[in-house]
Amino acid sequence: MKFLYFLLFSTTVIFAQSNYPKDYFRSPLDIPMKLAGNFGEIRPNHFHAGFDFRTMQKEGFNIYAVADGYVSRIKISTFGNGKTIYIDHPNGYTSVYGHLQKGVGKIEELIKKTHYQEQSYEIEIFPKPNEILVTKGEIIALSGNTGSSEGPHLHFEFRDTKSEKVINPYFFGFDSFMKDTKKPQISSLIVYPLDENSVVNQSKRSVTVNLSLQPNGTYVSQAITAKGRIGFGIQAHDVFDFSYDKYGLYKVQTFLNGSPSFGCQFDTFSFDETKHINAFIDFYRYRKTKQKVQKLFMKNPFPLSILHPDFENGIINVSNNFTNLYRIELSDFYGNTTLVSVPIQYSTVEATIQEEIVKTKYFVRAKTDSNFEKDNGSVFFRQELFMMIFI
């Protein structure tokens, strides 16, 4: 054990973020790896931070340490990831195991001891680096259904230990555990007029356009006539060979006349960034219909590292003599790609469908302070605070 401790914490080998180790980590389960949820999926008010592995609708499967390390944190909660174990590894990464039924060995002993000492179910423990050492393949827990879980499964993450950014598990060789030959699928394409002078298909409101599946597997949308500044959104998902369920997209890249316009790729992100999810999607539509439409533009720019916009932030300015081809590429981690071609033409035809009027005297704007008074009460929204919470 002393030798293991020396090996873990005396090593100076640290992998660069761009060189993720492919063969360093093993699977946390010894049953076939099938996803119930993938990295970056759009969830209510957050992006999914890891993989959800199915456990055959059962609890009690062995959970294994994916590599040598030490237990750095244990959190027991009635919500979120429920019973969760964190293991720090000597190569600079942390593995996270959530929704557990119980720990095993020294881990469970420490959990029970802390429950007794604090007289509370909800606890958080930060063991010392030499307190609970684990080896690759050691059983650390049993799978469960605790916290905000809707069925037995294992929530699993990789994090950069220093920055705590979550990283797509595919980068650590987890793509080899599962087969995927199916392309992502698109169910709807929406185009948005973005200012008072913009018109799309004779409408000042967002328009859903028809898509036609071609014999070669690509899609072509109906021709779009427009003027002014416009942007696009998609309702799309990924699929896998082992399931008919819908999963989050890994990568979306748009092009205008062959030049990159707006990109999104779920490689890594910080938890601080997840607050921007309601700007990432068409939140107004989601609130009304529960449809999750991913926007392919930023009308009001916000800092989200998974996005890669051009200098126009994905917005297209349709002006006189404008005839262009817009292309959307939806890709999974395995390179399976779906192409969508969107012809756009300039038109001076005025709108027959007018902009929807929002009737409220309590309209809060993100870039200015807002103060409202009614009867004997008042409420104040500071610019920075509102942008932090609601963008």
Side-chain angles (χ1 to χ4, degrees):
M1 188 61 72
K2 290 182 178 179
F3 173 75
L4 174 61
Y5 177 76
F6 176 82
L7 177 65
L8 287 174
F9 306 109
S10 299
T11 179
T12 58
V13 178
I14 301 297
F15 289 89
Q17 283 287 7
S18 58
N19 297 316
Y20 299 108
K22 288 284 188 181
D23 301 315
Y24 189 89
F25 298 102
R26 58 153 286 165
S27 166
L29 290 159
D30 57 6
I31 58 176
M33 308 301 288
K34 294 184 178 181
L35 292 180
N38 63 344
F39 186 82
E41 277 185 349
I42 299 172
R43 302 286 178 86
N45 288 317
H46 71 282
F47 299 107
H48 191 228
F51 280 175
D52 284 343
F53 289 115
R54 298 183 187 278
T55 55
M56 303 179 182
Q57 300 180 349
K58 300 176 183 178
E59 298 184 39
F61 286 98
N62 290 336
I63 303 298
Y64 299 91
V66 294
D68 294 349
Y70 72 90
V71 176
S72 59
R73 182 184 179 193
I74 301 170
K75 185 175 182 180
I76 311 295
S77 175
T78 56
F79 58 91
N81 288 331
K83 294 185 179 181
T84 311
I85 296 173
Y86 301 72
I87 297 177
D88 284 7
H89 305 285
N91 61 350
Y93 300 104
T94 297
S95 55
V96 182
Y97 315 75
H99 302 306
L100 303 173
Q101 181 189 89
K102 60 183 296 186
V104 168
K106 290 184 178 180
I107 297 174
E108 184 63 16
E109 291 175 8
L110 180 58
I111 291 173
K112 289 181 177 179
K113 178 182 176 181
T114 307
H115 279 315
Y116 179 78
Q117 290 176 339
E118 299 189 11
Q119 295 294 298
S120 173
Y121 176 79
E122 296 202 354
I123 58 174
E124 191 166 11
I125 313 167
F126 296 91
K128 297 177 181 179
N130 62 344
E131 189 171 348
I132 305 180
L133 298 175
V134 297
T135 57
K136 184 176 183 177
E138 180 179 340
I139 300 173
I140 59 169
L142 300 180
S143 68
N145 188 32
T146 56
S148 302
S149 175
E150 297 180 356
H153 71 281
L154 171 68
H155 174 81
F156 179 80
E157 298 175 15
F158 278 117
R159 299 184 184 182
D160 177 276
T161 303
K162 186 175 181 180
S163 69
E164 293 194 349
K165 284 188 174 183
V166 287
I167 305 166
N168 196 324
Y170 278 139
F171 285 109
F172 298 93
F174 275 50
D175 54 325
S176 64
F177 298 152
M178 297 165 282
K179 181 181 179 182
D180 183 17
T181 62
K182 293 183 177 179
K183 299 179 180 180
Q185 298 181 2
I186 182 169
S187 54
S188 62
L189 175 67
I190 298 92
V191 57
Y192 299 85
L194 297 180
D195 57 39
E196 60 183 12
N197 298 317
S198 301
V199 178
V200 174
N201 289 2
Q202 297 180 252
S203 175
K204 284 185 171 291
R205 303 184 187 183
S206 60
V207 176
T208 301
V209 297
N210 294 326
L211 295 171
S212 176
L213 179 61
Q214 305 301 297
N216 62 359
T218 65
Y219 289 85
V220 176
S221 81
Q222 70 181 89
I224 292 174
T225 58
K227 67 175 180 179
R229 299 168 73 241
I230 67 172
F232 287 89
I234 54 170
Q235 193 173 6
H237 60 271
D238 197 9
V239 290
F240 286 86
D241 290 4
F242 54 76
S243 173
Y244 292 101
D245 290 345
K246 297 178 180 179
Y247 299 85
L249 297 172
Y250 168 63
K251 179 181 178 181
V252 180
Q253 180 64 57
T254 70
F255 300 85
L256 184 63
N257 289 336
S259 298
S261 175
F262 191 88
C264 172
Q265 186 164 319
F266 281 97
D267 292 340
T268 179
F269 60 86
S270 69
F271 287 103
D272 286 343
E273 294 179 278
T274 200
K275 64 193 175 190
H276 299 298
I277 191 169
N278 290 337
F280 177 79
I281 64 174
D282 181 345
F283 183 71
Y284 180 72
R285 183 183 294 263
Y286 175 72
R287 188 178 61 183
K288 290 181 66 176
T289 68
K290 296 304 178 183
Q291 293 178 340
K292 298 174 183 177
V293 175
Q294 177 179 334
K295 294 191 294 186
L296 304 178
F297 65 93
M298 289 189 292
K299 186 176 181 181
N300 298 305
F302 51 92
L304 185 55
S305 63
I306 60 171
L307 300 181
H308 309 287
D310 65 1
F311 63 93
E312 295 289 352
N313 291 316
I315 295 173
I316 302 167
N317 191 6
V318 184
S319 56
N320 193 22
N321 298 321
F322 183 103
T323 300
N324 285 283
L325 182 64
Y326 184 74
R327 188 173 84 250
I328 306 170
E329 295 185 358
L330 314 175
S331 304
D332 63 21
F333 192 86
Y334 296 81
N336 302 307
T337 302
T338 296
L339 304 179
V340 183
S341 297
V342 186
I344 309 171
Q345 295 181 339
Y346 175 73
S347 173
T348 59
V349 178
E350 294 300 322
T352 58
I353 302 175
Q354 298 302 313
E355 184 179 3
E356 184 176 3
I357 304 300
V358 179
K359 295 182 178 180
T360 177
K361 59 181 179 180
Y362 302 114
F363 190 80
V364 182
R365 299 184 182 277
K367 294 185 178 181
T368 59
D369 292 342
S370 299
N371 186 56
F372 305 107
E373 296 181 359
K374 185 176 181 180
D375 300 329
N376 295 324
S378 66
V379 60
F380 176 75
F381 293 94
R382 192 174 74 247
Q383 169 193 349
E384 297 86 354
L385 178 63
F386 181 77
M387 291 180 71
M388 178 183 69
I389 296 176
F390 295 102
I391 275 187

